[in-house]
Structure formats: structure tokens, C-alpha cells
Amino acid sequence: MSLDTPLTSLSRIGPKFSKKLEKLGLKTVGDLLFFFPTRYEDLSHITKIDEITPGADYVVQGVIIRSHTHRSFKKHMAITEIVVEDESGAIKAIWFNQPYIGKALAEGAMVNLAGKVAEDQHGMYLSNPLYELIGAPMRDTTHTGRIIPIYRETKGITSKAIRYFLSSLLEWVKELPEYIPHEILTRNNIPLLKDALYAIHYPKTLEEASHAHQRFIFEHLFLVSLAREQRKKENYNSGVPLTIHLEEIKQFIDTLPFTLTEAQKRATWTMLKNTGEATPMQRLLNGDVGSGKTVVSAILALNTVLNKRQIIIMAPTEILARQHFETFIRLFQAYPIAIGLIAGKKYHYAFEGLSSETQKPILLKSIRSGKINIVIGTHALLEKEVVLAHPALIVIDEQHRFGVEQRAILTRDKHVVHPHVLSMTATPIPRTLALTVFGDMDISVLDEMPKGRKKITTKIVSPENRMQAYEFVRSQVKKGFQAFVICPRIETSAPSEDIKKLPTQQKMLWWEVKTVKDEHEKLQSLIFPDLKVGILHGKMKSDEKEAIMKAFAEKSVDILVSTSVVEVGVDIPNATVMLIESAERFGLAQLHQFRGRIGRNEHQSYCLLFTTSVVHLEERRLKAMTTTHSGFELAEMDLRLRGPGEFLGEEQSGWSDIVMSTLKNPALLAIAEEEAKLFLTHHTITEIPALHEKLESFTSKLHLA
Ligand code: ADP
Ligand code: MG
């Protein structure tokens, strides 16, 4: 047997169970072993029957002196009653509608029962307790009389079943080899893999379980650090060192209509130095919406052009790519810099402030010949035919919008020499998260907003003030400003299976969630018939989207009703109102992103939050929006309250546990980093094949830029 052995070959798991286990993502022995409990119940203390009182939970142990199953008259429900006796007394236990229990619990057998004690006119009884037959007193048990692990369950697979499947593996676990060097583990009092795996499923005490968890958190942090250090080692001297053209850069900065913030200067200087090295830069520029990341990337782009090298700038949407194209044309209108745009099926070329549409083969050819200095585009840039002559800098805007593979294609696969990589994100990533998950990148933070920005007034609006809010929107439009209305959904569709499972009340709420189509219709025909209300969502064709954004930018649309597609980088300085429907459905970081779409001019801007139901009005999270203006603080709060799902997306959801634990124990991260560095200074990774293999499979799942 190995970790890769399919679960179907375990004698306790037939084809029926293995199908169900697959629903939990469990296919192999390794999957099952690494399927950790979500919590534990302490059933280790056995109470004498004469010591129990009604209302509390107990574990009792005794002999079954009576067992009886009958059907109730009215409902034909099976009722199983047994009486268990120990040396101090006897107690009844009752189960409803589980007739098989009566068969399992025969008179004379020794049993553990764990559950709540209730009382009626006949006396005390255990109601629906957990039961486990035991051969003899004091023998080891799996489900009661100890600390019981509780797992994520699915239909037909209970925690009890998982414990049963696992119990056949636990002996074998004791032979699993270790892949982390022993001295590292002993030095830091971290348990061996085999001991940790055993203890996580079969702990003697809660402390032992928690110590076992530490092992896996340490392992994760150690591997992240090792991946980063290893890559630094591999990439050493594999890139293009760029000379810093300080004079020209200073001149360029002088042409800007504003002075750079200190944070912008710091980040720019750090990156100029990074790109001056032969080892490729891997840096994440993390700055709140509007903190001015674009101009920082432009300065680096200029320096790269001055080194006669090319730049690629990739953005997640056509709107954003186009906007960068316009911005770069404007910034470099006095420079002999050629800029290309590949977005959707459209191809553009620009030089010295003038741009025109061009044809694909022509543009691709000038990119390949090196004539185009800066290539801007969407993921269309990833296509094989887009080949650059001598790229040296890659900028990935809103990097979290791209998959691991997409980024790998752009940053590694397509190029012979490794370009410098500047990833940018406006999602304020809490430090802990950045280090645990994006741990393989260096990080710069723009934590300072350009001067003169007004704080956006944010209010939670209760339903009775809805009309008032609309009047306010109207008054802003009358003053010549524009407004966004954000809804979580495009249109009402059939609820998903998950939604269907919710209790009726919550299910009803689901139908109340506002949709872009309904709201657009309502606002245009009912509320603002005299104004122009536009609509934007992800299912529209790209030229439709483009047309509406253009109309909004040109002010021929007053109010834009949109889904979260506007979240990313759209720049409409004239908008002063952001009205968000069903705000509780968004993460704080995301709400903060929406809010960042406004407040981009010298006038006061307003963010109005509506909730799906009054129950959400009091949410602490939403209230934080009204008092906190720092994206980092909001992100940190979201991380604590809702976990890292929001930041990580589906594929990494399994890492929640790690991130949350690191939040609680930041010292462990520092230790892991230290150990990884130390290890690689004295060893090469291939010296320990098991560790090497583990690292490979680990990094394939990591957020590598
Ligand atoms: P983001 O970091 O969200 O990408 P942008 O780069 O789009 O932000 O910048 C937002 C706006 O702020 C742009 O209009 C830009 O010209 C302007 N800006 C950038 N840096 C400064 C600065 N130091 N002072 C004033 N305005 C600035
Ligand atoms: Mg931006």
C-alpha cells in the first residue's frame, strides 16, 4: 500500500462508499489520511450512571440489559429503546426511526453511549446517543470514550464512517517515511509525519491533536519558504540586468501633472534596483485602488525601453487593457515609444500620442521584430503567435485574476531569458496571507494615497430611505456627476443545489438579491425616466461592453448599472456615487474596490450600501465600511471574520486552515523561513529525494508568478 493506492482497494470501502468519498474529493489512501478533522469532541470521560443529571452531555459505559424496538401507533415510526447498566445504576437510551440500531445493540453486549441526557415523566434517558459496542471494558474504542474527530460529511458518509475507514490505516501510518530533515523537526519541537498523522485522527488529548496540526502548518510554511529560496537559487543570474537611466527618469517624472507619493518613490526605486540585477525580479506591488500603481509601472517601462528592451503589460479585461493603452499613450506622447494593443479581436498601434487600428499580422510582425516597445493586452497575449524579440519586463495587472498556468506561460514558458516580473494588485492582501500563499514573491506596498483625495462618505441605507437615496443620486446627476449601481447578479436564475438546501427563510432571501437586469429596468422606466441609465455585465459581447463604457466615459450615460465587472480598475473620474445592492454578499475587500471607482476627482463622493434584508443592516462587517478607509485594514478584518476564501478563490480553499493558524501564530512563519534558508545554504534540494518530490508537487499548487 502507498499513499497513491486507490481507496477502492481497501476492504472496508466498497464501490458504493468510494463513489461517495469521491464527493469529498477523496480518491486515494493519501487523500483520506490528509482529510483532517474539522473539530474534535471530547468523549474521553466516562461518567458513572448515578452521577449524571439532565440537560448535559455524557459518555456512559455499561451492559445492555434490555433492547426493544417497536413502531409507534400514530406515525409508524420505529422506536428503539435500550437500558444500559453499570455498577452504579441503569439508564434508558432512545432512538427514533433507526431500526437497525435495535439489531446492533443486543442484550448482554457492552456498549459506550455518548449524548445528551433528557428527562420525561418516566425519568432520565439518553436521546439519540452515539453508540459503540466494545468487546471488553477499557479496550480502545474508535467512536466514544476518547477524543472524537469530526469530519466534513456528505450524504451517506458520516464522521463515524470516516473514522471506521481510517482505523484500518492507522497501523500502516506508523511506517510512513519522513520528508522533512529530522534535525529541523527536533530543533523546533515539531512531530514526525507518522506521529502527526496518527495523532490528528486519533489523539489521546486535545493538546496532542493541536500539536499534530502544528506539524502540517509548519510543513506548509517551510515548503513555501523553500520554494521561494529554491527559485531564487535556480534563477540566480538568469535574467537581464537593466541599466538605470536616472536622468531620463527624473525628466519623465517632471513631466507628470503631480508629484509622486513617498510610497510610489520607494517602490519605484526598489524595483529599479531589482531590475538592475541579473536575477529576475519577482515582485508584487500591492496598493489600494487609486494609489497610483500605473505610473510606477510606466517608469519601469520607460527604463526598460531606454535599455532597448521590450515590455509586456497584461490586464484581466479588455476595458482595463484599453485604459492602460490610453494612459501609456498620454504618458509617453513626447517620447519615441511604440505601443501595441491586443485586446479581443482588435489590434491597435500608437506612437507619439497618436493611435490607430491596425491588422493582426502587421502588429505581430512589429512585435516580433522588436519595433513595438510596449505590448499591452489581455490574456490574448498568451497565444503562441505573440512573440517578442527581446522582452525584459512583464507587468501583470490585477494578477490574482489570472490562473497560475496563465502567469507561468507569460513569465517563463514563452521566453528564453527570464524577464523581470512586476505583478500588481489592488486587492489589499493581508501580510500573513501574502507570506503564506504568495510567499514566493517579494512585496512592495503603496500604503499612501496621492494628496488631496477626499475620503468617501459611506452609509448603510435602510429600506425606508431608498427613495431618498435615489433623490440624492438625481441631485448629483443634476450637478453634472455620474453614478454606479452595483448588483451581485446579472439575472434571476434557478437556485443552485446549495441554495436549495438552505432553510426556507434564507432561500427566500436568495430571491431578493438584486439583479442587474431588473434594477436597470426599474431605474430607467420608473425612477429615472428622464435620465440615461446604462447596463454592463459579463455576459455582454465585448463590443457592447466597450460601447457602454465609452458612453459612460463621455457622459452620455448618467447611471451605470453593473455587476462586479467594474471592480477592476475602471477610471471614470466624473462619477461621485457608488450605490451597492445586496452589499452583504460581497467581501469587504471587494466593496472597497467598488468604492475605489469613485472619489477620483476633487469633489466629495458617496458610497451607499443597501442590504438584501434588514437582518444584514447590523452586520459588523458592513459597519466597518462606514468607518474604515484603509483597504488593508478591511482586508485584515475580512480575513479574520470570513477566512481567506475571498482572497484565494476556489482552488486554494483548502489552505484556509493554514492561513488562519498562521494568523494566530506568526512566529512559526519566521522559523520556517529561517530553516528553509539555512537548509539551502548547506544542501541542495536533490540530496533528499523525498523532500524534493514533495516540494515539486507542492509548488505545482502554489501561486507562482
Ligand atoms: P491604481 O493603483 O488603482 O491602478 P492608478 O494608477 O489608476 O491607480 O491611479 C489613479 C489616478 O491617480 C490616476 O488618474 C493617476 O493619474 C493618479 N495619480 C497617480 N499617482 C498620483 C500622485 N502621486 N498624485 C496625484 N495623482 C496621482
Ligand atoms: Mg490600476
Side-chain angles (χ1 to χ4, degrees), residues 289-290 292-294 320 323-324 397-398 424 426 568-569 597 600:
V289 192
K293 294 183 291 294
T294 316
L320 205 55
Q323 204 166 282
H324 280 320
D397 197 13
E398 304 298 343
M424 305 200 288
V568 201
R597 301 296 109 226
R600 298 188 154 216

Side-chain angles (χ1 to χ4, degrees), residues 447-485:
D447 51 3
E448 177 190 358
M449 289 304 243
K451 279 200 193 61
R453 289 271 160 77
K454 285 233 166 73
K455 284 212 168 113
I456 294 160
T457 306
T458 304
K459 290 242 148 61
I460 301 171
V461 187
S462 52
E464 67 268 22
N465 294 330
R466 181 172 280 275
M467 287 317 284
Q468 226 175 310
Y470 287 150
E471 278 320 302
F472 178 74
V473 170
R474 177 185 297 282
S475 71
Q476 287 285 305
V477 172
K478 283 279 162 327
K479 284 185 190 160
F481 300 125
Q482 289 161 286
F484 287 100
V485 175

Side-chain angles (χ1 to χ4, degrees), residues 258-261 264 288-295 450 453 571 600:
F258 45 75
T259 46
L260 293 180
T261 63
Q264 282 173 318
D288 226 330
V289 192
S291 59
K293 294 183 291 294
T294 316
V295 69
R453 289 271 160 77
D571 199 11
R600 298 188 154 216

Side-chain angles (χ1 to χ4, degrees), residues 523-623:
L523 294 177
Q524 181 66 90
S525 59
L526 211 66
I527 315 279
F528 304 116
D530 51 328
L531 303 178
K532 185 83 184 80
V533 184
I535 182 167
L536 175 70
H537 58 75
K539 279 196 187 156
M540 284 162 58
K541 294 213 182 74
S542 63
D543 46 344
E544 288 172 338
K545 282 193 253 179
E546 198 182 305
I548 184 74
M549 280 318 294
K550 192 152 173 274
F552 197 47
E554 287 167 353
K555 287 213 237 177
S556 51
V557 164
D558 305 301
I559 299 168
L560 184 64
V561 184
S562 170
T563 50
S564 59
V565 286
V566 295
E567 176 197 346
V568 201
V570 179
D571 199 11
I572 307 283
N574 193 50
T576 55
V577 184
M578 171 64 59
L579 194 155
I580 302 172
E581 296 285 358
S582 301
E584 81 287 344
R585 298 187 61 97
F586 297 104
L588 290 182
Q590 208 181 0
L591 289 173
H592 184 69
Q593 292 259 24
F594 294 143
R595 180 163 68 178
R597 301 296 109 226
I598 55 171
R600 298 188 154 216
N601 58 28
E602 63 277 22
H603 303 281
Q604 181 60 49
S605 286
Y606 304 87
C607 177
L608 306 178
L609 304 175
F610 282 92
T611 58
T612 307
S613 133
V614 286
V615 299
H616 303 297
L617 286 173
E618 291 303 312
E619 261 185 31
R620 198 162 104 215
R621 297 171 52 248
L622 290 185
K623 286 196 168 157

